[in-house]
Amino acid sequence: MNIEFLKCHGSGNDFIIIDEWTKGYRFTEEERKEAAIQLSRRNSIIGSDGILFVIGSSNADAKMRMFNSDGSEAEMCGNGLRCVARYAIEKLKKESLMIETMKAILPAAKVPDVYEGIQTFEVAIEPVSLNPASLPLQTGKASWKETIIPEIDKELTFTALSVPNPHLVTIVEKVSDEQVKAVGKKANELKQLLPNGTNVSFVKIINESTIFVRTYERGVGLTNACGTAMSAATLVSCLLGRQPLNEVITVLNPGGMVQTVAEVRGDESYSIKLRGNATYEFSGSVQLDFHNAEKSDLIETQDFPEETAAYKKMADYAKTMA
Ligand SMILES: N[C@@H](CCC[C@H](N)C(=O)O)C(=O)O
C-alpha cells in the first residue's frame, strides 16, 4: 500500500503524521500497530518516536490517535498534539480548533512564536488525576505524592499522576541519562505495580520559573522530550512549591524548550497548557507491506530546510539555558 506521510517534531520528539482524515486511508487496528513498528524503527524506512494518525471526528474538528514506536497506543501525546493541531489548523485555515483524543476533546490554537521564526501552538493537557488508580499504580493509597516506591528505587521519591497517560515524576539535583534509563526501564517491567507501564521523568529545578526535564517514555525509551511529561513535571513542581502555579514556566529538555502553565481550578481539578514548536522536517510517501517489513520502502521525500534551520537556532539557545 502506498501511504503519504509528514515527518514532524515537537522539541525533537519526532513523529510521522498519517492522514486518514482527508486521504481516504482505512486501516485495521493491527495495521496501525504494524505501521508504527515498521516506520518508527530507527535507521530503517523513516524512524520516529511514534505515529500520529489524524482521523475524522464527528465531535471535534479532527481526531488524533498516537502509537508509540513499539506499536502500543497511548492515551495522549502533548508534543504530537501540537503537530496535529498545526496540520489541522492549516488544512481548515483556522486559528484555533478542537481535537478529539482518546480521553478528551481538547482545544488547540496557533499562538505567538515562542522563539523567532518558530511556528508555535498551544494545547491543553487534560484530564489530569493524582489518583494512583488512574495510571494505574497498584497501591492501596489514595494519592502518591513524593513517595519512595521501593520496587523501583530505594531513594528517589516519585509523584504519580495521569495527564491522562501515566507518569511518575521525581525532582533531583542532577539528571543522569543512565539513571533515567535504568529507572524508567525498571518501572516498565513491574507489571504487577504498573500494569499499563508508565512514563518516568527526572526534573531539575533551574530557577523560579525554569525546569529541565528528561523522560524515559513508555513504549519508546529515552526521547528528546515528552510533552505530557513536561506538563506533568510542571504541575508536580508547582504542587510541591518549587514553581509558581498560574504562571508561565519554561521547560528545557534535550531537544529544545517549551512553555507550560499549570492551574488549579475552583473545583480542585487541574488544567495544564503546553506551548511550543510543531516543526515539519520532511514529507513523502512509503510503500508499506503490513505482512513483510522487508518489502516496505521509502519512495520519495521533500524537505523543509528553513524550518529545520530556524529550529536549530532555538535548540542551540535552549542549551545555553540548561
Ligand atoms: N511523547 C509524547 C507521549 C507519547 C506517549 C507516551 N510514550 C505514552 O505511552 O504514554 C508526548 O509528547 O506527550
Side-chain angles (χ1 to χ4, degrees):
M1 180 179 185
N2 192 325
I3 300 170
E4 290 179 25
F5 68 88
L6 174 62
K7 178 80 192 318
C8 54
H9 75 86
S11 272
N13 188 197
D14 64 338
F15 308 102
I16 298 161
I17 288 185
I18 294 182
D19 175 356
E20 296 185 40
W21 176 35
T22 69
K23 307 254 185 219
Y25 304 133
R26 294 283 174 273
F27 302 116
T28 63
E29 290 306 313
E30 207 40 52
E31 286 172 344
R32 287 194 188 92
K33 179 178 173 179
E34 184 60 25
I37 295 170
Q38 281 196 32
L39 300 182
S40 296
R41 193 171 297 134
R42 297 286 176 192
N43 307 314
S44 183
I45 302 169
I46 304 176
S48 72
D49 292 328
I51 296 199
L52 305 165
F53 290 96
V54 186
I55 301 170
S57 169
S58 45
N59 307 311
D61 291 290
K63 178 173 176 175
M64 173 185 85
R65 288 185 66 184
M66 194 278 166
F67 285 71
N68 289 311
S69 57
D70 72 351
S72 60
E73 183 171 10
E75 299 85 341
M76 176 57 172
C77 176
N79 290 328
L81 187 58
R82 295 202 311 278
C83 294
V84 169
R86 171 175 173 186
Y87 185 78
I89 278 173
E90 288 177 354
K91 280 256 177 241
L92 297 174
K93 300 190 182 8
K94 284 180 155 191
E95 286 294 301
S96 64
L97 42 60
M98 302 298 288
I99 300 180
E100 184 177 348
T101 61
M102 190 191 284
K103 301 274 173 151
I105 294 176
L106 299 169
K110 180 153 178 37
V111 293
D113 294 358
V114 75
Y115 188 85
E116 197 187 339
I118 301 297
Q119 291 208 47
T120 302
F121 296 82
E122 181 180 282
V123 296
I125 305 294
E126 288 184 45
V128 177
S129 173
L130 269 83
N131 183 343
S134 69
L135 280 82
L137 171 63
Q138 307 283 35
T139 157
K141 296 187 184 176
S143 100
W144 204 306
K145 231 191 217 182
E146 278 235 282
T147 309
I148 291 176
I149 305 177
E151 295 91 329
I152 299 178
D153 190 276
K154 300 271 183 289
E155 287 167 13
L156 296 168
T157 55
F158 292 99
T159 299
L161 72 169
S162 63
V163 298
N165 55 342
H167 289 268
L168 290 181
V169 176
T170 182
I171 299 182
V172 294
E173 291 297 319
K174 195 169 175 292
V175 178
S176 129
D177 280 4
E178 290 68 37
Q179 191 183 22
V180 180
K181 205 169 167 184
V183 170
K185 202 162 171 283
K186 182 82 188 285
N188 280 280
E189 284 165 0
L190 297 168
K191 293 297 176 208
Q192 277 195 324
L193 192 68
L194 290 148
N196 294 351
T198 187
N199 300 286
V200 179
S201 295
F202 282 55
V203 182
K204 182 178 167 196
I205 308 291
I206 306 287
N207 59 39
E208 64 290 343
S209 61
T210 310
I211 59 177
F212 172 84
V213 180
R214 184 69 159 137
T215 303
Y216 179 96
E217 279 196 48
R218 173 182 70 165
V220 190
L222 273 186
T223 57
N224 281 323
C226 172
T228 47
M230 294 187 286
S231 306
T234 300
L235 180 63
V236 169
S237 305
C238 292
L239 295 177
L240 297 178
R242 309 292 300 268
Q243 296 288 301
L245 277 164
N246 309 319
E247 286 184 25
V248 175
I249 307 298
T250 298
V251 185
L252 306 172
N253 57 68
M257 65 179 183
V258 296
Q259 292 176 343
T260 50
V261 179
E263 292 169 359
V264 182
R265 296 200 190 97
D267 60 359
E268 292 297 302
S269 67
Y270 305 101
S271 137
I272 313 170
K273 295 283 184 307
L274 171 69
R275 195 184 295 156
N277 75 301
T279 302
Y280 292 169
E281 295 180 272
F282 57 93
S283 61
S285 60
V286 282
Q287 179 59 38
L288 189 56
D289 186 320
F290 292 108
H291 305 289
N292 185 352
E294 291 194 354
K295 289 194 178 157
S296 297
D297 208 357
L298 190 60
I299 296 175
E300 57 166 358
T301 59
Q302 195 186 342
D303 292 345
F304 294 86
E306 284 171 17
E307 292 201 26
T308 302
Y311 188 79
K312 186 175 179 312
K313 281 191 189 158
M314 184 177 104
D316 288 346
Y317 169 74
K319 281 202 180 82
T320 66
M321 294 172 69

